[in-house]
């Protein structure tokens, strides 16, 4: 069962028993990671599998230095696992290449009292407070000695230490000497094989310089005093400068020979210091995960064997681009592709469902901590290209649906010809009104409307239709559209005296009435008998804006009153002044109130439109404001 599966099972339980099972599942002995076969470096699959199974963040600690100095023993003691790395006092090299062990930081923290939470040196969001969400594991790498006469000096081991060791523990044997310092400097010389591009730097590392099996007395400032001492010899001066520039923080620890009184305390101090320094391996602001670390190791081995050097640019690509950004692009693209709609017909709102901008914004958010601008731009451009490719296919399909026909219609237009003025004629009230008769012909065309709203139009063609139309449309179908209604009504007298004498009811007089051609006319049949006689009174609706109102209490009464607050425009054809309301009763009439009111309202509507189209001047000239003659009142082409 893989380490990651076991970890998930333990982390779900969150109890001491589960943790013990998880820790017990870890390899209790070292796994080979880098070995040499026939002089060729080979990454061992067992060690790679161990790294691949690490969940969460990785804290790599690498032990380098003198052969036979006790590095393997110290590595086991840091883990709290006896003989996790095989150690012996024989002259034969115990470690060849690099061996590795993984241990959860939660176990080491629980076994190391007094270690403080460490967030200051961790990348943003990578402190101990996030241990539950994303745990950290220590990866201890035990390297073969660099001065063992029985082993080959492996430059590749030192390159590994320069690249992936967040914490570098350099161990020398028995005493702190110039040769030990020179050995450390020689180890760091492997950095020269790493070609940095402009503006790049190797991951920050801390150094713990350990004198193991110590027989002398040193204080904690021994290393710093030595590094900063003035040296006349260029070799010694350069060696010290390499150490100072390679490590931002340095510590010196001496450990006595096993069995001495301070031995255990000194080993515990080393262990606590390593645990206190915990921080994940990062590159370009991005935490290097298990898969990316394995890919990086394979890349280093391949480049060192082919060119005997490795470019930092290529390492960054392996870790940041291949290990993080490319998988991120693949995941975001997959999510976006699944959310892109399947177009089965034209969608006018397709652009509202375009997820490209949101996907790119999500990429920017998730990759915000990556500091390598060039790699970010490359990955973002790749995501943009993938999104555009899929979205453009959807757009093309939608455009094809949009070009399909939705409906077909026919449009007509009139082509105007000659125009002439023709009087209404006859002997009625509007006989002198001259109307503009316009000749026209009709053209027709076909319009195809597509689903996307675009239109395809044919050329205009003559439909063969010819005709005449009246420009003043109020007069079209005058005889049928504007009703004429004749009958007897009772008209209330405007006399104030008669109104008072009848207690406000007023005196009603019998009058013959007719509504026609935008006029309401009344006369006394006893007085007006000849066609040449003028009628008793009339309201010209073409010049006077009017409304007709039914009485709410008496079902026979209705009134004609001015529509404007200013009153009647011309009240010369009736008595009572410009604000008079003319009231009529249908009692005893041949027609009921509804018929009268309907006919009056339709005549008012005609008159209002005619006034708008003719204008006040033409109405006064061609219709007139005089009291009509009885002959004009009686003449009508159609009288109901």
């Amino acid at each position: 069962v893989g380490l990651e599966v076991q970890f998930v099972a333990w982390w779900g339980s969150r109890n001491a028993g589960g943790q013990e099972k998880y820790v017990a599942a870890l390899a209790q002995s070292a796994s080979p990671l880098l070995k040499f076969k026939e002089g060729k470096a080979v990454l061992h699959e067992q060690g790679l599998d161990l790294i691949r199974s690490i969940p969460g963040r990785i804290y790599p600690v690498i032990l380098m230095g003198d052969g036979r100095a006790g590095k393997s023993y110290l590595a086991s003691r840091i883990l709290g696992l006896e003989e996790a790395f095989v150690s012996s006092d024989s002259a034969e090299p115990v470690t060849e290449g690099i061996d590795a062990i993984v241990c959860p930081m939660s176990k080491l923290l629980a076994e190391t009292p007094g270690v403080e939470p460490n967030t200051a040196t961790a990348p943003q969001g990578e402190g101990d407070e996030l241990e539950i969400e994303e745990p950290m594991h220590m990866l201890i790498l035990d390297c073969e000695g660099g001065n063992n006469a029985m082993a080959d000096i492996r430059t590749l081991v030192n390159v590994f230490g320069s690249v992936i060791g967040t914490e570098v523990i350099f161990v020398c044997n028995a005493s702190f000497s110039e040769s030990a310092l020179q050995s450390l400097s020689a180890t760091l010389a492997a950095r020269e094989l790493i070609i940095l591009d402009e503006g790049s730097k190797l991951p920050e590392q801390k150094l713990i310089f350990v004198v193991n099996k110590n027989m002398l007395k040193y204080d904690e400032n021994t290393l710093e005093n030595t590094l900063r001492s003035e040296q006349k010899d260029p070799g010694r001066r350069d060696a010290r400068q390499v150490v100072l520039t390679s490590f931002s923080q340095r510590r010196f620890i001496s450990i006595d020979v096993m069995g001495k009184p301070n031995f255990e305390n000194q080993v515990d101090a080393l262990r606590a210091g390593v645990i206190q320094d915990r921080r994940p391996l990062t590159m370009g602001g991005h935490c290097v995960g298990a898969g990316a670390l394995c890919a990086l190791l394979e890349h280093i081995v391949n480049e060192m064997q082919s060119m005997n050097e490795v470019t930092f640019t290529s390492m960054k690509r392996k870790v940041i681009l291949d290990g993080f950004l490319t998988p991120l692009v693949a995941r975001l693209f997959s999510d976006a592709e699944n959310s892109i709609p399947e177009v089965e017909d034209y969608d006018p709102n397709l652009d509202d469902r375009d997820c490209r901008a949101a996907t790119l914004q999500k990429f920017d958010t998730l990759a915000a901590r990556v500091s390598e601008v060039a790699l970010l731009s490359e990955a973002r451009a790749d995501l943009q290209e993938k999104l555009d490719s899929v979205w453009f296919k959807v757009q093309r399909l939608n455009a094809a649906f949009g070009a399909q026909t939705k409906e077909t219609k026919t449009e007509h237009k009139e082509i105007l010809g000659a125009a002439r003025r023709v009087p209404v004629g006859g002997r009625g009230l509007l006989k002198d009104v001259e109307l503009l008769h316009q000749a026209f012909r009709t053209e027709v065309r076909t319009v195809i409307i597509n689903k996307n709203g675009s239109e395809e139009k044919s050329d205009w063609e003559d439909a063969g239709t010819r005709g005449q139309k009246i420009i003043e449309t109020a007069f079209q179908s005058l005889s049928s559209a504007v009703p004429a209604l004749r009958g007897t009504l009772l008209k209330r007298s405007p006399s104030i005296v008669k109104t008072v004498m009848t207690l406000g009811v007023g005196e009603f007089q019998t009058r013959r009435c007719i509504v026609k051609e935008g006029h309401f006319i009344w006369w006394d049949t006893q007085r007006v008998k000849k066609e040449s006689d003028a009628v008793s009174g009339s309201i010209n609706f073409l010049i006077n804006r009017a409304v007709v109102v039914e009485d709410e209490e008496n079902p026979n009464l209705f009134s004609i009153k001015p529509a404007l607050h200013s009153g009647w425009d011309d009240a010369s054809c009736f008595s009572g002044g410009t604000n008079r309301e003319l009231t009529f009763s249908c009692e005893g009439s041949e027609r009921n109130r509804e018929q009268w009111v309907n006919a009056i309202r339709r005549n008012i509507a005609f008159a209002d439109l005619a006034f708008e189209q003719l204008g006040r001047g033409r109405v006064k000239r061609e219709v007139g404001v005089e009291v009509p003659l009885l002959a004009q009142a009686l003449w009508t082409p159609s009288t109901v």
Side-chain angles (χ1 to χ4, degrees), residues 416 419 435-439 469-476 613:
L416 300 179
L435 303 176
L436 184 63
H437 286 238
Q438 178 74 63
K469 65 178 180 178
I470 299 174
I471 300 302
E472 297 87 350
T473 57
F475 292 85
Q476 288 181 353
Q613 295 176 345

Side-chain angles (χ1 to χ4, degrees), residues 73 255-264:
Y73 175 78
I255 300 176
D256 293 344
V257 175
M258 187 184 300
K260 290 286 186 177
N262 293 326
F263 174 75
E264 290 296 334

Side-chain angles (χ1 to χ4, degrees), residues 21 74 84 146 152 165 169 180 183 214 277 333 402 429 509 597-598 631:
K21 292 178 181 178
L74 293 177
D152 295 330
I169 303 174
S183 177
N214 177 43
D277 284 347
F333 174 68
L429 302 168
Q509 306 162 332
V597 169
N598 179 62

Side-chain angles (χ1 to χ4, degrees), residues 251-479:
R251 279 186 293 161
F252 178 83
I253 296 177
S254 63
I255 300 176
D256 293 344
V257 175
M258 187 184 300
K260 290 286 186 177
N262 293 326
F263 174 75
E264 290 296 334
N265 291 336
Q266 292 165 341
V267 172
D268 289 342
L270 171 63
R271 186 174 191 268
V274 173
I275 295 172
Q276 180 68 61
D277 284 347
R278 64 196 180 280
R279 62 203 180 282
L281 174 63
T282 63
M283 189 170 289
H286 168 66
C287 281
V288 180
L293 179 56
C294 289
L296 175 61
L297 297 177
E298 292 171 342
H299 179 71
I300 293 173
V301 170
N302 292 335
E303 286 212 352
M304 284 295 296
Q305 289 180 343
S306 61
M307 300 183 297
N308 203 34
E309 64 182 21
V310 57
T311 64
F312 194 57
T313 299
S314 65
M315 288 192 292
K316 286 189 297 186
R317 289 186 66 85
K318 212 55 163 171
V319 173
I320 300 173
L321 185 65
D322 299 346
F324 173 64
L325 292 178
T326 299
L328 176 61
V329 166
R331 176 166 59 84
L332 292 178
F333 174 68
S334 177
D335 293 343
E337 191 175 28
N338 291 333
S339 68
I340 290 177
E342 294 185 6
V343 178
E344 298 178 350
D345 199 355
Y346 177 69
D347 182 358
N349 301 314
L350 179 65
D351 288 343
D352 295 341
R353 304 165 70 183
D354 186 353
C355 63
R356 290 178 296 169
T359 301
L360 290 171
Q361 179 61 49
K362 191 172 184 180
F363 172 86
D364 293 340
T365 300
L366 295 176
R369 286 171 50 197
V370 176
S371 59
E372 295 298 324
V373 177
L375 297 181
L376 269 176
S377 299
E378 181 179 341
R380 197 179 195 278
D382 181 43
L383 178 58
Q384 176 83 65
E385 182 179 356
K386 293 177 184 295
L387 293 171
D388 287 346
S389 176
V390 174
W391 184 253
F392 290 159
K393 289 180 181 178
V394 174
Q395 284 185 319
R396 287 194 294 271
L397 180 59
N398 194 53
F401 281 123
Q404 294 178 347
T405 301
K406 180 181 180 181
E407 62 175 305
T408 302
K409 65 179 183 179
T410 301
E411 289 185 346
H412 298 79
K413 71 173 181 179
E414 294 179 346
I415 305 299
L416 300 179
R420 59 193 180 94
R421 290 202 173 274
V422 179
V424 173
R427 293 181 293 130
L429 302 168
L430 305 175
K431 62 183 179 63
D432 295 328
V433 176
E434 292 189 347
L435 303 176
L436 184 63
H437 286 238
Q438 178 74 63
F440 68 90
R441 63 181 177 85
T442 303
E443 291 188 350
V444 65
R445 70 177 177 186
T446 300
V447 179
I448 298 174
I449 302 175
N450 298 321
K451 292 179 179 179
N452 59 15
S454 63
E455 296 182 351
E456 301 174 21
K457 301 176 180 179
S458 66
D459 295 335
W460 288 103
E461 297 180 356
D462 193 336
T465 304
R466 302 289 187 273
Q468 297 267 341
K469 65 178 180 178
I470 299 174
I471 300 302
E472 297 87 350
T473 57
F475 292 85
Q476 288 181 353
S477 304
L478 178 62
S479 60

Side-chain angles (χ1 to χ4, degrees), residues 496-511:
I496 297 176
V497 175
K498 292 181 179 180
T499 301
V500 172
M501 292 177 64
T502 57
L503 301 178
V505 175
E507 182 181 39
F508 281 86
Q509 306 162 332
T510 301
R511 294 290 182 264

Side-chain angles (χ1 to χ4, degrees), residues 76-357:
S76 298
R77 291 297 304 270
I78 290 171
L79 292 172
L81 300 172
E82 294 290 340
E83 293 297 318
F85 292 95
V86 177
S87 60
S88 97
D89 55 2
S90 69
E92 295 295 327
V94 176
T95 305
E96 293 185 352
I98 301 176
D99 294 334
I101 287 183
V102 173
C103 186
M105 287 305 304
S106 56
K107 171 184 180 296
L108 299 175
L109 287 168
E111 296 173 350
T112 311
V115 176
E116 298 296 328
N118 181 14
T119 60
T121 58
Q124 182 180 3
E126 297 295 338
D128 292 337
E129 71 278 5
L130 294 182
E131 184 67 22
I132 291 179
E133 287 78 3
E134 191 177 359
M136 186 188 297
H137 286 70
M138 180 186 291
L139 171 64
I140 289 247
L141 303 171
D142 181 22
C143 303
E144 72 172 75
N147 65 345
N148 196 318
M150 303 298 293
D152 295 330
I153 297 176
R154 316 293 194 205
T155 302
L156 188 55
V157 172
N158 296 334
V159 173
F160 269 37
S162 298
V163 174
I164 67 172
T166 301
E167 191 89 348
V168 176
I169 303 174
F170 186 85
V171 184
C172 67
N173 192 22
S175 65
F176 179 69
S177 62
E178 183 63 31
S179 63
L181 195 59
Q182 292 292 329
S183 177
L184 173 58
S185 175
T187 299
L188 296 175
R191 288 172 174 250
E192 298 299 321
L193 299 176
I194 303 171
I195 302 175
L196 297 174
D197 54 344
E198 184 177 356
S200 295
K201 61 180 181 179
L202 291 170
E204 184 177 346
Q205 295 177 313
K206 293 182 181 180
L207 170 67
I208 300 180
F209 194 106
V210 179
V211 178
N212 194 29
K213 308 176 188 177
N214 177 43
M215 300 295 291
L216 303 174
K217 185 177 182 180
Y218 301 103
D219 61 36
E220 61 182 14
N221 295 319
T222 298
L223 177 62
E224 289 300 308
N225 292 337
T226 303
L227 292 175
R228 300 186 184 280
S229 62
E230 292 188 11
Q231 300 293 324
K232 295 181 180 180
D233 181 75
R236 292 190 173 195
R237 188 167 56 247
D238 291 344
R240 284 157 174 76
Q241 188 60 38
V242 168
V243 176
L244 286 169
T245 57
S246 297
F247 302 102
S248 60
Q249 298 182 43
R250 301 165 294 276
R251 279 186 293 161
F252 178 83
I253 296 177
S254 63
I255 300 176
D256 293 344
V257 175
M258 187 184 300
K260 290 286 186 177
N262 293 326
F263 174 75
E264 290 296 334
N265 291 336
Q266 292 165 341
V267 172
D268 289 342
L270 171 63
R271 186 174 191 268
V274 173
I275 295 172
Q276 180 68 61
D277 284 347
R278 64 196 180 280
R279 62 203 180 282
L281 174 63
T282 63
M283 189 170 289
H286 168 66
C287 281
V288 180
L293 179 56
C294 289
L296 175 61
L297 297 177
E298 292 171 342
H299 179 71
I300 293 173
V301 170
N302 292 335
E303 286 212 352
M304 284 295 296
Q305 289 180 343
S306 61
M307 300 183 297
N308 203 34
E309 64 182 21
V310 57
T311 64
F312 194 57
T313 299
S314 65
M315 288 192 292
K316 286 189 297 186
R317 289 186 66 85
K318 212 55 163 171
V319 173
I320 300 173
L321 185 65
D322 299 346
F324 173 64
L325 292 178
T326 299
L328 176 61
V329 166
R331 176 166 59 84
L332 292 178
F333 174 68
S334 177
D335 293 343
E337 191 175 28
N338 291 333
S339 68
I340 290 177
E342 294 185 6
V343 178
E344 298 178 350
D345 199 355
Y346 177 69
D347 182 358
N349 301 314
L350 179 65
D351 288 343
D352 295 341
R353 304 165 70 183
D354 186 353
C355 63
R356 290 178 296 169

